[in-house]
Amino acid sequence: MEQKIENRRECILVALPAREDQRTRLEEIAHGAEVIYCPAAEVTKELVWKADVILGNVPADMIKNSPNLRWLQLNNAGTEGYCTPGVLPEGAILTNATGTYGMAISEHMIAMLFMLQKRLDTYYQQQKNHSWEKQEHMIVVQGSTTLVIGLGDIGTAFAEKMHAMGSRVFGIRRTMQPKPDAVESQYTMEDLHELLPQADVVALSLPAWKETREVIGKEELKLMKKTAVILNVGRGSAIDTDALSNALYAGEIFGAGLDVTDPEPLPSDHPIWDAPHTIITPHVSGRYDLPATLEKIWDLILDNMERWEKGRDLKNVINLSTGYVKRI
Protein backbone atom coordinates (compact mmCIF):
# COMPACT_ATOMS: atom_id res chain seq x y z
CA MET A 1 0.00 0.00 0.00
CA GLU A 2 1.36 3.41 -0.98
CA GLN A 3 1.86 5.86 1.81
CA LYS A 4 0.30 9.26 1.19
CA ILE A 5 2.88 12.02 1.57
CA GLU A 6 1.65 15.48 2.38
CA ASN A 7 2.23 17.63 -0.70
CA ARG A 8 3.38 21.01 0.59
CA ARG A 9 6.53 22.46 -0.91
CA GLU A 10 7.52 26.07 -0.49
CA CYS A 11 11.21 25.75 -1.29
CA ILE A 12 13.47 23.16 -2.90
CA LEU A 13 17.21 23.49 -2.34
CA VAL A 14 19.41 21.80 -4.96
CA ALA A 15 22.97 21.26 -3.72
CA LEU A 16 24.49 19.30 -6.58
CA PRO A 17 25.31 20.13 -10.21
CA ALA A 18 22.40 20.22 -12.65
CA ARG A 19 22.24 20.67 -16.41
CA GLU A 20 19.74 23.06 -17.89
CA ASP A 21 17.45 20.25 -19.04
CA GLN A 22 17.53 18.69 -15.57
CA ARG A 23 16.62 22.03 -13.99
CA THR A 24 13.80 22.49 -16.46
CA ARG A 25 12.38 19.04 -15.76
CA LEU A 26 12.67 19.52 -11.98
CA GLU A 27 10.83 22.83 -12.14
CA GLU A 28 8.11 21.32 -14.32
CA ILE A 29 7.54 18.59 -11.75
CA ALA A 30 7.72 21.06 -8.85
CA HIS A 31 4.76 23.09 -10.18
CA GLY A 32 5.98 26.57 -9.36
CA ALA A 33 7.72 25.94 -6.06
CA GLU A 34 10.75 28.11 -5.39
CA VAL A 35 13.85 26.22 -6.50
CA ILE A 36 17.24 27.42 -5.29
CA TYR A 37 20.44 26.07 -6.85
CA CYS A 38 23.50 26.38 -4.64
CA PRO A 39 26.75 24.38 -4.71
CA ALA A 40 27.13 22.26 -1.58
CA ALA A 41 30.29 24.12 -0.58
CA GLU A 42 28.38 27.41 -0.55
CA VAL A 43 25.22 26.29 1.25
CA THR A 44 24.35 28.30 4.34
CA LYS A 45 22.28 27.39 7.37
CA GLU A 46 19.72 30.01 6.32
CA LEU A 47 19.17 28.25 3.00
CA VAL A 48 18.93 24.86 4.68
CA TRP A 49 16.36 26.10 7.17
CA LYS A 50 14.30 27.70 4.41
CA ALA A 51 13.98 24.47 2.43
CA ASP A 52 11.13 21.98 2.57
CA VAL A 53 13.05 19.64 0.28
CA ILE A 54 16.82 19.35 -0.08
CA LEU A 55 18.31 17.53 -3.06
CA GLY A 56 21.98 16.77 -2.47
CA ASN A 57 24.26 16.51 0.54
CA VAL A 58 24.42 19.42 2.95
CA PRO A 59 26.26 19.37 6.30
CA ALA A 60 24.28 17.40 8.87
CA ASP A 61 24.94 19.98 11.57
CA MET A 62 23.13 22.61 9.48
CA ILE A 63 19.97 20.50 9.37
CA LYS A 64 19.39 20.15 13.10
CA ASN A 65 16.30 22.12 14.26
CA SER A 66 15.34 22.97 10.67
CA PRO A 67 11.74 24.22 10.86
CA ASN A 68 10.62 23.22 7.35
CA LEU A 69 12.56 20.19 6.13
CA ARG A 70 10.35 17.26 5.17
CA TRP A 71 12.56 15.34 2.73
CA LEU A 72 16.32 15.11 2.26
CA GLN A 73 17.60 13.29 -0.84
CA LEU A 74 21.29 12.46 -0.51
CA ASN A 75 23.49 12.26 -3.59
CA ASN A 76 25.47 9.30 -2.25
CA ALA A 77 24.73 5.96 -0.62
CA GLY A 78 26.31 6.62 2.78
CA THR A 79 23.97 8.01 5.44
CA GLU A 80 26.44 8.48 8.28
CA GLY A 81 25.69 11.58 10.34
CA TYR A 82 22.15 12.02 9.02
CA CYS A 83 20.58 9.21 11.05
CA THR A 84 21.78 10.52 14.40
CA PRO A 85 18.72 11.22 16.58
CA GLY A 86 17.82 14.91 16.52
CA VAL A 87 19.48 15.73 13.18
CA LEU A 88 16.42 15.33 10.96
CA PRO A 89 13.19 16.98 12.07
CA GLU A 90 10.57 14.57 13.35
CA GLY A 91 8.73 13.00 10.44
CA ALA A 92 11.25 14.05 7.80
CA ILE A 93 12.12 11.48 5.16
CA LEU A 94 15.71 10.58 4.26
CA THR A 95 16.51 8.93 0.92
CA ASN A 96 19.88 8.06 -0.56
CA ALA A 97 21.39 7.38 -3.98
CA THR A 98 21.81 3.62 -3.72
CA GLY A 99 21.85 2.14 -7.21
CA THR A 100 23.66 4.99 -8.94
CA TYR A 101 27.34 4.30 -8.17
CA GLY A 102 27.79 0.59 -8.81
CA MET A 103 28.87 1.00 -12.41
CA ALA A 104 31.65 3.53 -11.78
CA ILE A 105 32.99 2.15 -8.50
CA SER A 106 33.05 -1.48 -9.64
CA GLU A 107 35.10 -0.46 -12.69
CA HIS A 108 37.54 1.35 -10.40
CA MET A 109 37.84 -1.85 -8.36
CA ILE A 110 38.55 -3.91 -11.48
CA ALA A 111 41.20 -1.39 -12.55
CA MET A 112 42.99 -1.61 -9.19
CA LEU A 113 42.74 -5.40 -9.16
CA PHE A 114 44.20 -5.81 -12.65
CA MET A 115 46.96 -3.34 -11.94
CA LEU A 116 48.03 -5.47 -8.97
CA GLN A 117 47.43 -8.91 -10.43
CA LYS A 118 49.28 -8.10 -13.66
CA ARG A 119 52.06 -6.33 -11.71
CA LEU A 120 51.44 -3.12 -13.64
CA ASP A 121 52.34 -1.13 -10.54
CA THR A 122 55.83 -2.62 -10.67
CA TYR A 123 56.14 -2.35 -14.43
CA TYR A 124 55.21 1.32 -14.31
CA GLN A 125 58.03 2.01 -11.87
CA GLN A 126 60.38 -0.01 -14.07
CA GLN A 127 59.31 2.00 -17.10
CA LYS A 128 60.17 5.25 -15.33
CA ASN A 129 63.58 3.76 -14.47
CA HIS A 130 64.05 2.40 -18.02
CA SER A 131 64.39 -1.07 -16.53
CA TRP A 132 63.51 -4.18 -18.61
CA GLU A 133 62.83 -6.82 -15.96
CA LYS A 134 60.18 -9.53 -16.06
CA GLN A 135 58.01 -10.06 -12.98
CA GLU A 136 56.24 -13.20 -11.89
CA HIS A 137 52.50 -12.83 -12.27
CA MET A 138 49.80 -13.67 -9.81
CA ILE A 139 46.70 -15.69 -10.52
CA VAL A 140 44.29 -14.76 -13.25
CA VAL A 141 40.67 -13.89 -12.51
CA GLN A 142 39.30 -16.95 -14.29
CA GLY A 143 39.12 -19.80 -11.80
CA SER A 144 39.78 -17.55 -8.80
CA THR A 145 37.56 -17.10 -5.75
CA THR A 146 36.18 -13.68 -4.85
CA LEU A 147 34.67 -12.73 -1.51
CA VAL A 148 32.49 -9.62 -1.62
CA ILE A 149 31.76 -8.11 1.79
CA GLY A 150 28.74 -5.85 1.37
CA LEU A 151 26.30 -6.88 -1.32
CA GLY A 152 24.61 -3.59 -2.01
CA ASP A 153 24.62 -1.92 -5.42
CA ILE A 154 28.41 -1.55 -5.51
CA GLY A 155 29.25 -5.01 -4.22
CA THR A 156 26.72 -6.63 -6.52
CA ALA A 157 28.05 -4.74 -9.57
CA PHE A 158 31.58 -5.90 -8.74
CA ALA A 159 30.35 -9.45 -8.19
CA GLU A 160 28.71 -9.43 -11.62
CA LYS A 161 31.93 -8.32 -13.31
CA MET A 162 34.04 -10.91 -11.51
CA HIS A 163 31.53 -13.66 -12.24
CA ALA A 164 31.48 -12.68 -15.92
CA MET A 165 35.27 -13.10 -16.02
CA GLY A 166 35.11 -16.59 -14.55
CA SER A 167 35.60 -16.06 -10.81
CA ARG A 168 33.58 -17.95 -8.21
CA VAL A 169 31.92 -15.26 -6.12
CA PHE A 170 30.78 -15.57 -2.52
CA GLY A 171 29.07 -12.72 -0.71
CA ILE A 172 28.59 -11.50 2.84
CA ARG A 173 25.73 -9.17 3.75
CA ARG A 174 24.18 -7.83 6.93
CA THR A 175 20.98 -9.86 6.64
CA MET A 176 20.00 -12.70 4.34
CA GLN A 177 18.08 -11.45 1.32
CA PRO A 178 17.45 -12.72 -2.22
CA LYS A 179 20.82 -13.73 -3.67
CA PRO A 180 22.22 -11.91 -6.72
CA ASP A 181 22.58 -14.25 -9.68
CA ALA A 182 26.33 -13.60 -9.93
CA VAL A 183 26.90 -14.78 -6.36
CA GLU A 184 27.31 -18.53 -5.90
CA SER A 185 26.49 -18.46 -2.18
CA GLN A 186 25.86 -15.71 0.34
CA TYR A 187 26.52 -15.54 4.06
CA THR A 188 26.46 -13.17 7.01
CA MET A 189 29.42 -11.74 8.91
CA GLU A 190 29.45 -14.71 11.29
CA ASP A 191 30.96 -16.75 8.45
CA LEU A 192 33.79 -14.31 7.66
CA HIS A 193 36.62 -16.30 9.24
CA GLU A 194 35.59 -19.47 7.42
CA LEU A 195 35.47 -17.70 4.04
CA LEU A 196 38.62 -15.56 4.17
CA PRO A 197 41.13 -18.44 3.71
CA GLN A 198 39.36 -19.43 0.47
CA ALA A 199 39.46 -16.01 -1.20
CA ASP A 200 41.92 -14.78 -3.81
CA VAL A 201 40.18 -11.39 -3.84
CA VAL A 202 38.46 -9.78 -0.85
CA ALA A 203 36.38 -6.74 -1.76
CA LEU A 204 34.72 -4.45 0.79
CA SER A 205 31.98 -1.92 0.11
CA LEU A 206 30.61 -1.22 3.58
CA PRO A 207 29.15 1.91 5.21
CA ALA A 208 30.72 3.39 8.34
CA TRP A 209 28.69 1.97 11.20
CA LYS A 210 29.73 0.58 14.57
CA GLU A 211 29.06 -2.96 13.33
CA THR A 212 31.31 -2.53 10.28
CA ARG A 213 34.30 -0.97 12.01
CA GLU A 214 37.52 -2.93 11.44
CA VAL A 215 35.81 -6.08 10.25
CA ILE A 216 39.22 -6.72 8.70
CA GLY A 217 41.91 -6.52 11.35
CA LYS A 218 45.11 -8.30 12.32
CA GLU A 219 43.39 -11.63 12.94
CA GLU A 220 41.44 -11.56 9.68
CA LEU A 221 44.50 -10.61 7.62
CA LYS A 222 46.39 -13.61 8.99
CA LEU A 223 43.58 -15.86 7.74
CA MET A 224 43.94 -14.64 4.15
CA LYS A 225 46.08 -16.22 1.43
CA LYS A 226 49.56 -14.81 0.94
CA THR A 227 48.58 -14.29 -2.71
CA ALA A 228 45.32 -12.48 -1.86
CA VAL A 229 44.42 -8.95 -2.88
CA ILE A 230 42.12 -6.82 -0.73
CA LEU A 231 40.06 -3.96 -2.16
CA ASN A 232 38.17 -1.32 -0.18
CA VAL A 233 35.83 1.26 -1.70
CA GLY A 234 33.17 1.69 1.00
CA ARG A 235 34.52 3.38 4.09
CA GLY A 236 38.08 3.22 5.35
CA SER A 237 36.96 2.30 8.86
CA ALA A 238 36.11 -1.24 7.67
CA ILE A 239 39.83 -2.09 7.73
CA ASP A 240 42.41 -1.58 10.48
CA THR A 241 44.86 0.50 8.44
CA ASP A 242 47.86 -0.13 10.66
CA ALA A 243 47.24 -3.88 10.66
CA LEU A 244 46.87 -3.87 6.87
CA SER A 245 50.09 -1.89 6.46
CA ASN A 246 51.97 -4.36 8.66
CA ALA A 247 50.52 -7.32 6.77
CA LEU A 248 51.60 -5.88 3.41
CA TYR A 249 55.16 -5.21 4.56
CA ALA A 250 55.35 -8.69 6.12
CA GLY A 251 54.07 -10.36 2.96
CA GLU A 252 51.09 -11.85 4.78
CA ILE A 253 48.92 -10.83 1.81
CA PHE A 254 50.02 -9.81 -1.65
CA GLY A 255 48.42 -6.44 -2.26
CA ALA A 256 45.75 -3.85 -1.55
CA GLY A 257 43.71 -1.41 -3.61
CA LEU A 258 42.28 1.34 -1.43
CA ASP A 259 40.01 4.16 -2.50
CA VAL A 260 39.18 4.86 1.16
CA THR A 261 41.34 4.83 4.28
CA ASP A 262 41.12 5.36 8.02
CA PRO A 263 41.98 8.08 8.80
CA GLU A 264 40.97 10.06 5.75
CA PRO A 265 42.70 11.97 4.28
CA LEU A 266 45.56 9.57 4.89
CA PRO A 267 48.43 11.35 6.69
CA SER A 268 51.42 11.87 4.42
CA ASP A 269 53.72 10.04 6.85
CA HIS A 270 51.65 6.88 7.16
CA PRO A 271 53.76 3.85 6.19
CA ILE A 272 51.02 2.28 4.06
CA TRP A 273 51.73 4.85 1.34
CA ASP A 274 54.93 2.95 0.55
CA ALA A 275 53.71 -0.57 1.30
CA PRO A 276 54.50 -3.10 -1.42
CA HIS A 277 51.84 -3.71 -4.06
CA THR A 278 49.52 -1.04 -2.71
CA ILE A 279 47.40 1.34 -4.76
CA ILE A 280 45.79 4.27 -2.98
CA THR A 281 43.36 6.72 -4.56
CA PRO A 282 41.85 9.68 -2.65
CA HIS A 283 38.20 8.55 -2.36
CA VAL A 284 37.40 9.34 -5.97
CA SER A 285 35.79 6.17 -7.36
CA GLY A 286 32.29 7.24 -6.35
CA ARG A 287 32.34 10.92 -7.16
CA TYR A 288 29.73 12.22 -9.54
CA ASP A 289 32.38 13.87 -11.73
CA LEU A 290 31.71 10.97 -14.08
CA PRO A 291 28.85 12.24 -16.26
CA ALA A 292 27.20 8.82 -16.38
CA THR A 293 27.07 8.68 -12.58
CA LEU A 294 25.58 12.15 -12.24
CA GLU A 295 23.04 11.21 -14.90
CA LYS A 296 21.95 8.21 -12.82
CA ILE A 297 21.66 10.37 -9.70
CA TRP A 298 19.47 12.87 -11.53
CA ASP A 299 17.30 10.10 -12.97
CA LEU A 300 16.68 8.93 -9.41
CA ILE A 301 16.04 12.47 -8.14
CA LEU A 302 13.53 13.28 -10.87
CA ASP A 303 11.77 9.95 -10.37
CA ASN A 304 11.53 10.58 -6.63
CA MET A 305 10.36 14.14 -7.23
CA GLU A 306 7.50 12.84 -9.35
CA ARG A 307 6.64 10.34 -6.65
CA TRP A 308 6.72 13.13 -4.05
CA GLU A 309 4.42 15.25 -6.20
CA LYS A 310 1.94 12.39 -6.63
CA GLY A 311 2.01 11.31 -2.99
CA ARG A 312 3.64 7.98 -3.80
CA ASP A 313 6.30 6.07 -1.88
CA LEU A 314 9.80 7.33 -2.56
CA LYS A 315 12.66 5.11 -3.65
CA ASN A 316 15.55 4.42 -1.27
CA VAL A 317 13.83 5.55 1.92
CA ILE A 318 16.25 5.06 4.82
CA ASN A 319 15.44 3.30 8.06
CA LEU A 320 16.90 5.84 10.49
CA SER A 321 17.56 3.19 13.11
CA THR A 322 19.80 1.12 10.82
CA GLY A 323 21.04 3.63 8.23
CA TYR A 324 20.09 1.28 5.40
CA VAL A 325 17.35 1.43 2.78
CA LYS A 326 14.07 0.06 4.11
CA ARG A 327 13.20 -3.33 2.71
CA ILE A 328 9.62 -3.74 1.55
Side-chain angles (χ1 to χ4, degrees), residues 116-295:
L116 291 165
Q117 285 193 333
K118 306 306 178 186
R119 305 298 298 273
L120 299 182
D121 58 329
T122 302
Y123 286 130
Y124 177 64
Q125 292 301 322
Q126 290 182 187
Q127 177 185 339
K128 291 198 298 183
N129 296 330
H130 301 184
S131 173
W132 187 275
E133 181 182 353
K134 295 182 179 180
Q135 300 292 324
E136 293 184 2
H137 283 247
M138 285 185 62
I139 61 171
V140 295
V141 169
Q142 185 168 342
S144 67
T145 298
T146 299
L147 175 61
V148 179
I149 305 175
L151 276 177
D153 171 53
I154 297 165
T156 299
F158 180 70
E160 290 170 348
K161 289 177 172 60
M162 293 298 287
H163 173 73
M165 291 187 291
S167 182
R168 295 182 65 197
V169 182
F170 299 95
I172 288 179
R173 65 192 326 160
R174 186 174 60 94
T175 57
M176 297 301 283
Q177 297 169 28
K179 180 180 68 65
D181 291 340
V183 175
E184 183 173 316
S185 301
Q186 69 177 6
Y187 305 85
T188 58
M189 201 61 76
E190 288 76 14
D191 302 298
L192 177 64
H193 284 195
E194 179 183 344
L195 294 168
L196 282 173
Q198 305 175 44
D200 300 297
V201 179
V202 177
L204 294 92
S205 55
L206 296 170
W209 298 107
K210 180 177 66 176
E211 297 80 5
T212 61
R213 181 163 185 81
E214 295 186 358
V215 296
I216 299 294
K218 182 177 180 180
E219 181 180 0
E220 288 73 25
L221 289 161
K222 287 185 178 299
L223 292 172
M224 293 171 59
K225 295 180 178 181
K226 290 185 180 296
T227 55
V229 170
I230 191 167
L231 307 171
N232 191 15
V233 294
R235 291 293 184 267
S237 57
I239 298 178
D240 181 334
T241 306
D242 291 340
L244 175 59
S245 180
N246 292 337
L248 289 163
Y249 279 105
E252 292 177 0
I253 65 171
F254 177 78
L258 309 174
D259 187 49
V260 290
T261 61
D262 182 31
E264 192 173 302
L266 186 65
S268 61
D269 60 351
H270 197 288
I272 200 170
W273 281 111
D274 298 311
H277 310 303
T278 300
I279 300 169
I280 298 172
T281 53
H283 204 154
V284 294
S285 66
R287 290 175 61 86
Y288 51 64
D289 304 66
L290 183 68
T293 300
L294 186 57
E295 187 80 20

Side-chain angles (χ1 to χ4, degrees), residues 101-121:
Y101 287 98
M103 173 186 65
I105 296 180
S106 63
E107 288 188 3
H108 191 95
M109 297 167 76
I110 294 292
M112 291 193 295
L113 177 63
F114 275 11
M115 188 170 182
L116 291 165
Q117 285 193 333
K118 306 306 178 186
R119 305 298 298 273
L120 299 182
D121 58 329

Side-chain angles (χ1 to χ4, degrees), residues 79-88 209 320:
T79 60
E80 305 94 298
Y82 298 98
C83 296
T84 303
V87 171
L88 290 178
W209 298 107
L320 298 181

Side-chain angles (χ1 to χ4, degrees), residues 8-51:
R8 182 189 66 82
R9 298 185 311 282
E10 295 178 353
C11 178
I12 300 171
L13 173 60
V14 180
L16 75 164
R19 295 194 311 258
E20 190 61 36
D21 62 308
Q22 292 162 338
R23 295 186 180 202
T24 298
R25 180 60 185 143
L26 175 64
E27 290 161 19
E28 288 175 353
I29 297 171
H31 291 308
E34 181 183 7
V35 182
I36 300 174
Y37 300 92
C38 181
E42 299 174 16
V43 165
T44 64
K45 187 173 182 178
E46 288 72 23
L47 282 177
V48 171
W49 279 32
K50 182 179 180 181

